[in-house]
Amino acid sequence: MSTMHTILEAMAPEAREALLAHSHQVTFPAGTRIFNERRRAEKFWIIQCGTVDLDTHVPGHKNVVVDTLGYGELLGWSWMFPPYTWHLGATASHDVRALEFDAAAVRELCNEDSAVGRSVSTAVAAVIADRLDSARTRLLDLFAPHGSGTPLAYAR
């Protein structure tokens, strides 16, 4: 799980309010497939409660869970970068309540208001950096000598 309590806390108050104006509440019962990798990323979510497993397809096997997201975390960042397709898949592992955002509307908002765009971009970039660090740590835990998997955040 991310070290950030919620992506919204990382944003300037004005940007947070502008972003929230483009949201609505949704629920996903446990077991619901939220999106599939390589499909168009048209929405994103901020999880309010519950958990979501991020997975990847492995030919000849069932999908492999690579991360689990929970409270306050951003579900989906592929909507922000062309070609706007998911890099992973996602399934609700427990009942989820989340704020849902229309990706095209938020991209338009970010283009129209540069301060909002900077705030959203910075917050999403922090999520991406945190997830890359987590993936690095997991890979080192699997394949490197014991203790090699110390997160970079702790090394600073």
Side-chain angles (χ1 to χ4, degrees):
M1 193 154 130
S2 172
T3 56
M4 187 183 306
H5 292 284
T6 171
I7 187 173
L8 294 172
E9 292 174 3
M11 294 181 185
E14 301 80 22
R16 180 174 45 247
E17 293 308 313
L19 183 64
L20 286 172
H22 290 274
S23 71
H24 65 275
Q25 291 243 329
V26 295
T27 59
F28 299 106
T32 302
R33 187 72 173 165
I34 301 169
F35 56 82
N36 292 303
E37 74 183 280
R38 302 185 190 275
R39 298 285 168 86
R40 186 112 175 115
E42 297 175 336
K43 299 177 182 179
F44 66 96
W45 303 263
I46 297 175
I47 300 169
Q48 295 178 308
C49 70
T51 55
V52 174
D53 287 339
L54 297 177
D55 58 48
T56 191
H57 176 71
V58 178
H61 300 280
K62 68 179 194 169
N63 291 345
V64 175
V65 174
V66 296
D67 205 352
T68 300
L69 306 179
Y71 167 76
E73 292 192 284
L74 175 66
L75 172 58
W77 50 262
S78 300
W79 62 273
M80 195 168 190
F81 306 100
Y84 311 119
T85 56
W86 297 117
H87 293 91
L88 300 170
T91 300
S93 49
H94 293 90
D95 290 348
V96 171
R97 189 177 72 240
L99 292 174
E100 182 175 87
F101 299 83
D102 177 87
V106 173
R107 285 193 304 268
E108 186 176 322
L109 170 68
C110 291
N111 286 333
E112 290 174 356
D113 187 327
S114 60
V116 171
R118 275 190 307 278
S119 190
V120 171
S121 296
T122 300
V124 171
V127 169
I128 294 168
D130 186 55
R131 299 228 178 115
L132 285 171
D133 187 37
S134 293
R136 174 193 169 277
T137 300
R138 285 191 305 277
L139 286 170
L140 288 172
D141 284 345
L142 285 172
F143 299 111
H146 179 72
S148 300
T150 303
L152 291 176
Y154 296 110
R156 295 179 189 139

